[in-house]
Every structure is written in structure tokens, then in C-alpha cells.
Amino acid sequence: MMCQNGDMARTRGRAPAGGRADALSQEIVVGTAVELLDEHGERGLTFRLLAQRLNTGPGALYWHVANKDELIALAADHVLGEALADAPRPEGGVAGLRALAVTVFDALDRHPWAAFRVTAPATLEHTLSLLDRIGVLVTQTGLPAERHFAVATAIFNYITGVSAQIISPAVTVDPSVHRDVFLAETAAHWSRLDPAAYPFLPHVTEALRDHDDRDQFTTGLDLLLTGLTATTRPPQR
Amino acid sequence: MMCQNGDMARTRGRAPAGGRADALSQEIVVGTAVELLDEHGERGLTFRLLAQRLNTGPGALYWHVANKDELIALAADHVLGEALADAPRPEGGVAGLRALAVTVFDALDRHPWAAFRVTAPATLEHTLSLLDRIGVLVTQTGLPAERHFAVATAIFNYITGVSAQIISPAVTVDPSVHRDVFLAETAAHWSRLDPAAYPFLPHVTEALRDHDDRDQFTTGLDLLLTGLTATTRPPQR
DNA sequence: ATCTATATGGAATGTCGTTCCATAACAATA
DNA sequence: TATTGTTATGGAACGACATTCCATATAGAT
């Protein structure tokens, strides 16, 4: 599964110099897939539907994409590419890490299906690019070189993994039920739990109902980054 | 989608007092599903195969489980339940949080398909239990009450989200390629990248090849927990 | 014995990913 | 301008799957 694109730069999908006017390309196929995924979610994307929108047959798509897994992986990478293009460059160090993380979260929040499909260790273009940019910023923090990989990967995993968790209700749950309704129902469920078995949850139903996803993301992120600076500059007695 | 079990405790699946000897139950169905998921992964689990192993037809399973999504969600919750049963209870505070997190990671590592299926906000029994136990431990750290929800959720999201990311290659990639081979190939890929576009990655290929998944999990976890203690006791000048 | 809710299991349905292949469009040759 | 080979297309066909349907069985209650 999953691309295994390997070495040989595949010419596939690159429209030949003097191709026809209505020529497909991997870029077009993936771009249209992103539209469809935004509209109907992962389950709603079918090769038939995609082919229909591109005025072709399902078979033609397989010239540009190996299978549905690769298509979705490429679509998710495409989303990440847009996010990175928008990401601010100026800041360095921990502030830059925070800004980059939030930018990526926002992008995944706009394309909920993508969050689950960005995976480590990276092999796709923009996923690699994200990890590399995190690595560069980590390098700037003055951490010893032997920790660069572990810390950069930890931050990458936090961004993609936690984003996926926070966004998951939008994907897992029936999309027809809105966020507020879902949270209200879940809060009601928590409030009905037996306090002997669940001493904590009944106390935080209000916080569940009112919380903001982005704040939830930055709460953990800031803990992580605080821990990072605390490690970088050991506690000044 | 997804349970919506609602209130009414469903009698379904509970074998009636004097049922037949070969009676099914939700517990049996889910337990067998866990076995099959461990053996063949999420794609390899089919209702036909599950029915065959239980000496029944596919239709019978739908009496105990609404659909495949619910089945897998229940199976993942089952895994979490086992992990929590094994989890050490003694320690409290930050040390207890760390121990609990690692226990859950190990369980998900043994059942890679489950990591992607544990989602927040929780509605299933053991997922709720995990979040609650995290909450209790967070309460013990002396954090102000208004931060309890945000911090407990952040830790929950870290555990489940980052575990899923770290374990993902075992699920996403063809299971026939072993971890070492996959990492070696990815490392080779990184080493061939253009250093102008990717200044960081080529330097850490060795670390990628040699890293340990559990260490990767604890690296970020310890950063997060360090940040937590730094927040709890503000820096003592 | 009869009745009814619970539970079963195999057959039928429809949708999907994917494969296949006959054909089209174009580029390079002659 | 014909010819040939490669690149690309698109629609039909295949096989697997989740899910539904329904005729039947089981066991407790009457």
C-alpha cells in the first residue's frame, strides 16, 4: 500500500508538452479529489464520482494514481502544501514552532478528512517539508544535536496526531449532526455517569460544551513548548 | 454513525439467563473481532469471516452490533479496557500520569489497528474511564480548577493521537514489509533529498533508522509533563 | 400445548474499488 | 503525408464487501 513511489520519477500525470486541451494530470485529479473530499468526506469520495466530475471514466484515473489510498494520501499532502505556503516564515525558534503548528492545525481544521491521513515517517513532498521546517526550528533552539531528531519528531507527531484527535468528531460522527449538538449530547451523557465510577467527568461538562478546538490544540502545544524551553535552558536555580 | 447508543441500556448481546449453550453475545462478537483485527488488520476483518469463525451467518451479527464502525469502535474500547485493568494504580500526580500514558501506549502498540479508533470526546465505557483517570490525576497536581478540563484533554489527546501517529506505519504500510525495512527505505529516501530544499532531514537519517517507538512516545510526553510541572509551580526565581 | 419476544443464519441486493481492453490522440519517424 | 509506437482514455465487467431481508428456530410465559 501507500505509494512506494520509490526512486524513478514517474512521468505519469505530467501533461506532455503539446497534450490535448482536456488532458488530465495527477495535479488535476488530486485537486478535484480535495474538492470532493471537502464536500462529501472520505466515504463520499468514489472513483465514479470523481470520474464524472472530470468527464471521464473511472479507469482513466488509474493512469494518474495507483489506488484510492494513494489518492487520499496525495490529497492530504496537497492540503499540507497549501498550509505551508501560507505559513509565516519570519519567526524562528520556539515562537516560530508555535506559529507553524497553529497554521497547520487551522489547515487541517478546514479539511477534516486530511488530519487522519498525514502520517509519519514522512515520504510525501509537503509532509517531508513540514518535518524539515520543524527540524530547522528545533536546531535553532540550541538543543544538543543528538536530541534534534527526537524532539522534532515529537512536535511533528503532536501537531498531526493531536489535530486528528481534536478534529475527529467532524469525521467520525455523522456530519449532519452539528458540533454544538454533538457536544451538548456528550456533555449530557457525562453528567449522567455514576460519580463513583467517574469522579472527574461530571465536573467538566460545562467546559466540554463551551471549549474551543483551537484553544484545546494550543493548550497542549504550549505545555510541550514550555517543557522544551525548560529543557533547553535548565532551571536557573 | 458511531453508536449513538443513547440512554436505553440495550439488552441486546446480553445472553438471556437460560439461553442456549452456543448463544452469541456482544462481548463474544467484539472479543472475536479483536482477535481477527490482530491477525488481519482492519481491512482484513469482514462480517463473513467473523461469522465463519463464530459458526453463524453475517446477519446474526447485526443483532449484537449496529454496523462495522460500531464493531471496530467497541473493539478498540475493549483494548483500552484491558490496558486500564493492567494499569498501575498506586502512583499519583505527574508520575502517575506518565505511568498511565505508557501503559496505554504499550497496549495500542500491541493492537495497532486500535490506535486510530480511540477518539475524543469519549462516549464509550473504557475511553471515558481513561479520560476520567487522567482527570483525577490532573486534579491532584494542584492546578487551578478552571484548567482541569483543558489539561486533562490535552494529555488524553497526546496519548491517543501521538500513539496513532507513531504506530501508523504498521497500519498504513503493507504489513508484509517489516518495520526495519520500512525505516531503512525511508532513511535512504531522506538521504537522497536535495539539501537546499530539505536542510534538516538528511542529517537525521541515522536517528530515524535506529529510533525506538516507545522512546519517541515518552520524549514528547516528558516535554508535555515538564511543561505541566513548570506551569503548576511557577519558576522559583 | 400455544404464543410471543428474542435470536439466528443464509440468501439477495446494491455499491464500490479495481482490472481489462478496445480505441483514441499525439510524437516521432520515414 | 502515411506509418508506427507510446501515452492516455473511458466504459464495461469482475469480485468483494457491508448491509438488508425474511423464513425459521429457540425458550420462557400463559
Side-chain angles (χ1 to χ4, degrees), chain A residues 116-132:
Chain A
F116 275 103
R117 293 299 189 150
V118 179
T119 57
T123 50
L124 297 182
E125 184 183 355
H126 300 111
T127 311
L128 282 169
S129 193
L130 172 59
L131 181 54
D132 195 88

Side-chain angles (χ1 to χ4, degrees), chain B residues 118-150:
Chain B
V118 178
T119 58
T123 50
L124 298 183
E125 184 183 355
H126 300 111
T127 312
L128 282 170
S129 192
L130 171 60
L131 181 54
D132 196 87
R133 279 171 71 163
I134 292 171
V136 169
L137 292 168
V138 166
T139 304
Q140 294 173 3
T141 60
L143 217 58
E146 67 269 19
R147 298 206 64 208
H148 287 176
F149 173 78

Side-chain angles (χ1 to χ4, degrees), chain A residues 91-157:
Chain A
E91 296 170 291
V94 173
L97 281 169
R98 204 192 121 106
L100 179 59
V102 171
T103 302
V104 172
F105 172 80
D106 286 340
L108 294 178
D109 197 35
R110 286 192 297 271
H111 306 278
W113 51 269
F116 275 103
R117 293 299 189 150
V118 179
T119 57
T123 50
L124 297 182
E125 184 183 355
H126 300 111
T127 311
L128 282 169
S129 193
L130 172 59
L131 181 54
D132 195 88
R133 280 172 69 163
I134 291 171
V136 169
L137 292 168
V138 166
T139 304
Q140 295 172 3
T141 60
L143 216 58
E146 67 271 19
R147 298 206 64 209
H148 288 176
F149 172 78
V151 170
T153 308
I155 295 173
F156 178 91
N157 283 336

Side-chain angles (χ1 to χ4, degrees), chain B residues 11-139:
Chain B
T11 37
R12 281 177 182 189
R14 213 171 289 170
R20 8 180 201 162
D22 64 338
L24 283 176
S25 71
Q26 190 181 76
E27 207 179 346
I28 291 175
V29 171
V30 171
T32 311
V34 170
E35 288 176 20
L36 251 27
L37 286 163
D38 286 341
E39 290 171 29
H40 305 112
E42 192 168 316
R43 287 235 166 78
L45 174 70
T46 69
F47 275 77
R48 288 171 225 276
L49 186 62
L50 182 54
Q52 191 185 333
R53 183 161 299 197
L54 290 169
N55 296 312
T56 183
L61 304 176
Y62 282 86
W63 186 259
H64 304 277
V65 156
N67 53 44
K68 193 174 180 180
D69 276 332
E70 183 182 299
L71 175 61
I72 295 179
L74 288 170
D77 199 56
H78 183 87
V79 166
L80 220 47
E82 284 185 353
L84 292 177
D86 297 350
R89 277 279 191 180
E91 297 170 289
V94 172
L97 282 169
R98 204 192 121 107
L100 179 58
V102 171
T103 301
V104 172
F105 172 80
D106 286 339
L108 295 177
D109 197 35
R110 285 193 298 270
H111 307 276
W113 51 269
F116 275 103
R117 293 298 189 148
V118 178
T119 58
T123 50
L124 298 183
E125 184 183 355
H126 300 111
T127 312
L128 282 170
S129 192
L130 171 60
L131 181 54
D132 196 87
R133 279 171 71 163
I134 292 171
V136 169
L137 292 168
V138 166
T139 304

